[in-house]
């Protein structure tokens, strides 16, 4: 039986399609897709595909105006099992949606990261967020998603589902960030006490989450001053 969901607050709905021309920072992968009978034409400037090495981002940074950034993380909860967390923020760094889901067992780090991505992506798109930068801290998974590599195993099953879900977005891009830039999603994945059903917020966010988001923006502001 699938876990039940407690949905806190009302939904935020975005209407219409946005025409975007954005300049993307290092570590960002642009995605594209085609629909039968419909042509998608995205003009993307300055896309960089090199994400390894010292130039990899270590801080969370806000998305370009008009986009939302969805950070996700999957983790092991000691002997208890797995946890997934996601946070959606706007270009001002404000949290607009967040969620956590936990359960028993653990299928491996990359698989749980993929499942966390599905949880966040499905929840966000159902709420109307369809212009997304999807960011995680597990580089092998981000590379597979960017290259649409679908291995013939359990991980491949979940990657295929992620690629299906992003096909419903008006715009999406993949982004890798180091663990320090993914702390908000990481904290939610490790939510305490153990949460046997999922929780989704779009108003009245937990104090710890809003404090973490404020810290991220403070660090970005300080980095810009250096």
């Amino acid at each position: 039986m699938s876990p039940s969901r407690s949905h806190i607050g009302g939904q935020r709905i975005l209407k219409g399609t946005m025409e975007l021309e954005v300049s993307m920072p290092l570590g960002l992968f642009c995605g594209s897709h085609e629909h039968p009978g419909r042509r998608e034409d995205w003009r993307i400037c300055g896309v960089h595909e090199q994400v390894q090495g010292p130039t990899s981002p270590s801080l969370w940074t806000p998305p370009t105006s008009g986009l939302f950034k969805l950070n996700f993380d999957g983790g092991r909860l000691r002997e208890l099992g797995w946890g997934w967390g996601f946070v959606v923020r706007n270009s001002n760094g404000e949290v607009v949606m967040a969620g956590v889901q936990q359960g028993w067992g653990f299928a491996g780090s990359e698989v749980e990261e993929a499942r966390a991505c599905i949880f966040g992506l499905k929840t966000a798109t159902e709420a109307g967020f369809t212009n997304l930068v999807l960011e995680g801290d597990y580089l092998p998974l981000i590379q597979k998603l960017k290259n649409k590599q679908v291995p013939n195993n359990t991980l491949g099953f979940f990657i295929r589902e992620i690629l299906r879900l992003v096909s419903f977005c008006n715009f999406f891009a993949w982004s890798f960030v180091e663990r320090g830039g993914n702390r908000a999603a990481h904290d939610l994945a490790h939510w305490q006490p153990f949460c046997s059903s999922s929780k989704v917020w779009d108003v009245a966010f937990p104090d710890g989450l809003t404090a973490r988001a404020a810290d991220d923006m403070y660090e970005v502001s300080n980095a810009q001053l250096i």
Side-chain angles (χ1 to χ4, degrees), residues 12-188:
R12 294 174 178 264
I13 303 298
L14 302 180
K15 296 182 179 179
T17 301
M18 307 178 73
E19 181 178 345
L20 302 171
E21 183 167 348
V22 298
S23 179
M24 294 187 179
L26 201 65
L28 200 61
F29 298 124
C30 175
S32 62
H33 58 268
E34 295 180 356
H35 294 272
R38 191 176 84 196
R39 182 169 178 267
E40 299 280 350
D41 184 11
W42 302 337
R43 293 179 297 159
I44 308 300
C45 305
V47 179
H48 298 272
E49 297 191 358
Q50 178 64 39
V51 299
Q52 302 183 61
T55 55
S56 296
S58 58
L59 298 178
W60 184 89
T61 56
T64 302
S65 179
L67 300 180
F68 294 89
K69 180 175 280 190
L70 189 161
N71 285 81
F72 63 90
D73 191 51
R76 187 177 195 131
L77 305 178
R78 298 184 181 178
E79 296 80 20
L80 291 176
W82 50 262
W84 311 330
F86 79 89
V87 184
V88 182
R89 283 176 273 190
N90 62 21
S91 58
N92 295 320
E94 298 165 334
V95 178
V96 294
M97 177 170 274
V100 56
Q101 185 167 327
Q102 297 171 331
W104 306 104
F106 186 75
S109 297
E110 193 165 9
V111 168
E112 297 301 348
E113 291 280 348
R115 295 173 73 193
C117 181
I118 291 171
F119 171 52
L121 180 57
K122 188 172 187 298
T123 306
T125 54
E126 286 178 352
F129 294 98
T130 57
N131 296 286
L132 293 170
V133 176
L134 297 142
E135 186 168 81
D137 60 18
Y138 200 91
L139 182 58
L141 176 63
I142 298 298
Q143 290 176 325
K144 288 183 180 72
L145 291 167
K146 178 261 174 180
N147 295 315
K148 298 182 181 178
Q149 295 176 351
V150 183
N152 187 25
N153 55 23
T154 302
L155 175 63
F157 172 83
F158 294 114
I159 288 178
R160 189 175 292 108
E161 176 63 7
I162 293 170
L163 297 177
R164 185 189 72 83
L165 289 170
V166 295
S167 72
F168 296 108
C169 291
N170 294 326
F171 173 90
F172 72 93
W174 297 110
S175 176
F176 166 73
V177 69
E178 294 172 1
R179 173 59 60 82
N182 205 38
R183 293 174 301 179
H186 177 83
D187 289 350
L188 284 174

